[in-house]
Amino acid sequence: MKTTRKGLRDGELQKDTYGRLTCSECGESLKKKNDPGEVFSLRICPDCGSEWKELR
């Protein structure tokens, strides 16, 4: 699992005009899943199921 920063560098993720992260393959906005016990949150694509870590 990569971080969102590496995903942006590798071209797997894109930012739209409002700064939201979208999956390059599907074009869908990523959903956020927070776990209070972790330092990071997960960004998940609803179509393909790919996951990226995002530091809070």
Side-chain angles (χ1 to χ4, degrees), residues 23-41:
C23 181
S24 294
E25 291 182 27
C26 309
E28 292 290 322
S29 294
L30 300 180
K31 303 294 181 191
K32 186 182 261 190
K33 181 179 176 184
N34 290 332
D35 185 10
E38 295 290 334
V39 178
F40 59 88
S41 58

Side-chain angles (χ1 to χ4, degrees), residues 3-5 11 13 16 23 25 27 34 38 40 48 50-52:
T3 62
T4 53
R5 186 174 286 184
L13 298 175
D16 63 4
C23 181
E25 291 182 27
N34 290 332
E38 295 290 334
F40 59 88
C48 63
S50 299
E51 297 180 345
W52 293 272

